[in-house]
Amino acid sequence: MRRLGAAATLLLLLTGCRTDPALHSQRIGPGQYRLTVDRCHVIDREQLEHDLRGLAGQKCPDGAGELEAIQSIPSRQGSLFGECLRSGALRAEVTCR
């Protein structure tokens, strides 16, 4: 019974960051996207920008232009037990080539 309780606790701790990073895109025009990345465990801003470039590559199979209008936004990552101590989020726009 004790192992079951420990497993349930571990599952709850991991649930808060199960979608790390959370990647979202919204089409804002022909070949233009607004991209958002939200991470529970952030090392630095460069890591978030790398995630944005990866998402841009997925949305623009023929290549993506430079990330534009990059801005920090409040992170929506969170958990019941506060294990997301270094969360962060960025939003940017990209135009496909």
Side-chain angles (χ1 to χ4, degrees), residues 4-5 85 90:
L4 182 60
L85 298 177
L90 284 180

Side-chain angles (χ1 to χ4, degrees), residues 20-67:
D20 199 30
L23 304 172
H24 301 282
S25 64
Q26 176 186 12
R27 187 174 179 176
I28 57 174
Q32 293 181 306
Y33 292 91
R34 180 171 294 126
L35 311 173
T36 305
V37 61
D38 192 352
R39 275 190 172 270
C40 178
H41 301 290
V42 176
I43 296 171
D44 56 17
R45 182 181 171 107
E46 188 175 311
Q47 179 185 26
L48 293 170
E49 289 182 12
H50 181 271
D51 292 337
L52 284 172
R53 285 190 292 277
L55 182 57
Q58 291 175 12
K59 292 296 169 184
C60 301
D62 294 330
E66 292 295 315
L67 296 175

